[in-house]
Amino acid sequence: MQKFGLIIDSTVYFDEDTFKNIDFEVVSLSVTVDEMTYQEVEINEELLYPYIDEGTRMNSSAPSVGAFVEAYEAAIEKGYTKIAVIPLSSGLSSTYQSAVMAADLLDRPDIDIRVIDTLSANFGIRNLLLTLTDDIASGMDIDEFEKEILKRAEQSKLQFTLTHLRQLLNTGRLRKLTYYAAGILRIKPLIELIDGKLENVARPRSMRSVIHNFINSIGSIIKLGKLLRITVIALNEEAALEELLRQIKAEFPHATIDVIHKINPVFTLSLGYKGIGFAATAY
């Protein structure tokens, strides 16, 4: 039986089967497009594709403190006196700070709220939680959960490449000259989540080189644990997905592999809608 409440934010993609054996609450970020603001949980990222192509300015916002207070109260109403909160990295969003402020505002000394910064995000948090769902459902206590998820976060890698760079230009993350040069040279920026922030670690010019980098990165953590779970994210890159899966299965035959095709609206707004990547955790 689950012993503590669990709260995640809406940037973590899941379907009805992903975390079906555990109880959790979701706190939504928001997306503003053409002066219209939507809760992330209420829209599909495909809504944003035309705006990305048109270069429309869009932005996202962290959840309010009040939204987290409501989530805490919902968990308390279910009978939980201990609550674990797993927001996206504090290096990427103020979501973590909102969660901490809400815990202070709630002012319930009888309720143990842990806001845990894994320095991960999106499909990285999804992958971490999937290594722990059975333990949570079986009665893992919150102390062990906090210890394990932080340990496993340190034994993880998250990398991806983007093959549609328009949104990086739209958001100012890529200068116009660099954008056009990348197109001419067929550069595929290799981005890694390092210490909670997204860093461009390489600029390969072929998908073959990208996949080679992915395999080497996964290989760098396998000695850190007996088990290996990998979430592969593929956004409109089916040929690359097929090759990446082939190589993962050949190099890491005992890995548990999960494939998803969504990163949810907030990350689509920031990064665009075409690319491929992975999150891997050894444990």
Side-chain angles (χ1 to χ4, degrees), residues 9-272:
D9 66 60
S10 58
T11 62
V12 180
Y13 171 71
F14 62 91
D15 56 33
E16 61 183 14
D17 293 325
T18 306
F19 305 129
K20 62 183 178 182
N21 59 336
I22 60 172
D23 180 43
F24 62 98
E25 307 289 333
V26 179
V27 178
S28 185
L29 282 77
S30 60
V31 174
T32 300
V33 184
D34 270 353
E35 299 183 357
M36 290 289 294
T37 298
Y38 307 89
Q39 292 297 297
E40 184 176 28
V41 295
E42 297 173 348
I43 62 172
N44 189 299
E45 62 267 26
E46 292 178 2
L47 171 72
L48 306 180
Y49 292 0
Y51 295 104
I52 290 173
D53 291 337
E54 293 166 6
T56 302
R57 284 283 181 178
M58 299 179 282
N59 59 69
S60 62
S61 301
S64 67
V65 172
F68 272 106
V69 169
E70 289 179 6
Y72 298 160
E73 290 174 339
I76 293 167
E77 191 171 332
K78 292 178 180 178
Y80 295 114
T81 58
K82 300 177 187 293
I83 302 170
V85 189
I86 311 296
L88 75 157
S89 168
S90 60
L92 297 176
S93 168
S94 59
T95 300
Y96 171 83
Q97 285 79 9
S98 290
V100 171
M101 291 173 66
D104 291 338
L105 183 64
L106 187 66
D107 194 24
R108 287 286 301 270
D110 57 320
I111 304 298
D112 180 4
I113 299 176
R114 315 274 182 96
V115 183
I116 304 168
D117 191 0
T118 62
L119 298 179
S120 189
N122 201 278
F123 55 98
I125 291 177
R126 172 195 173 96
N127 199 62
L128 282 170
L129 288 174
L130 284 172
T131 71
L132 287 160
T133 51
D134 288 344
D135 295 318
I136 295 169
S138 298
M140 170 183 267
D141 66 45
I142 196 169
D143 292 325
E144 185 65 16
F145 172 77
E146 182 175 21
K147 175 184 174 182
E148 276 300 313
I149 198 167
L150 289 173
K151 177 182 177 182
R152 295 180 191 192
E154 292 180 353
Q155 297 170 186
S156 298
K157 282 279 189 179
L158 185 155
Q159 290 185 338
F160 61 91
T161 191
L162 303 171
T163 52
H164 183 278
L165 304 180
R166 178 74 198 193
Q167 189 58 5
L168 293 184
L169 176 65
N170 294 344
T171 58
R173 290 180 172 86
L174 196 66
R175 291 180 299 174
K176 187 173 290 187
L177 181 61
T178 305
Y179 170 75
Y180 288 115
I184 293 169
L185 298 174
R186 299 180 182 273
I187 291 172
K188 296 170 174 58
L190 190 66
I191 299 169
E192 182 172 344
L193 189 61
I194 300 174
D195 296 330
K197 296 182 179 180
L198 296 175
E199 305 285 352
N200 188 349
V201 295
R203 296 182 178 182
R205 295 189 182 183
S206 70
M207 188 58 72
R208 180 180 178 181
S209 295
V210 168
I211 292 174
H212 177 73
N213 273 281
F214 286 170
I215 296 299
N216 285 343
S217 292
I218 296 170
S220 71
I221 64 168
I222 56 173
K223 63 183 178 182
L224 300 177
K226 295 180 180 179
L227 302 176
L228 179 66
R229 172 174 277 279
I230 303 170
T231 292
V232 175
I233 172 72
L235 306 175
N236 303 301
E237 282 289 354
E238 293 307 311
L241 171 62
E242 184 178 344
E243 178 59 20
L244 177 57
L245 288 176
R246 185 190 69 79
Q247 293 196 33
I248 287 175
K249 290 173 183 178
E251 293 290 331
F252 315 108
H254 302 298
T256 300
I257 305 168
D258 181 37
V259 179
I260 59 175
H261 298 275
K262 288 177 175 286
I263 54 171
N264 285 355
V266 165
F267 273 75
T268 300
L269 181 153
S270 298
L271 302 172

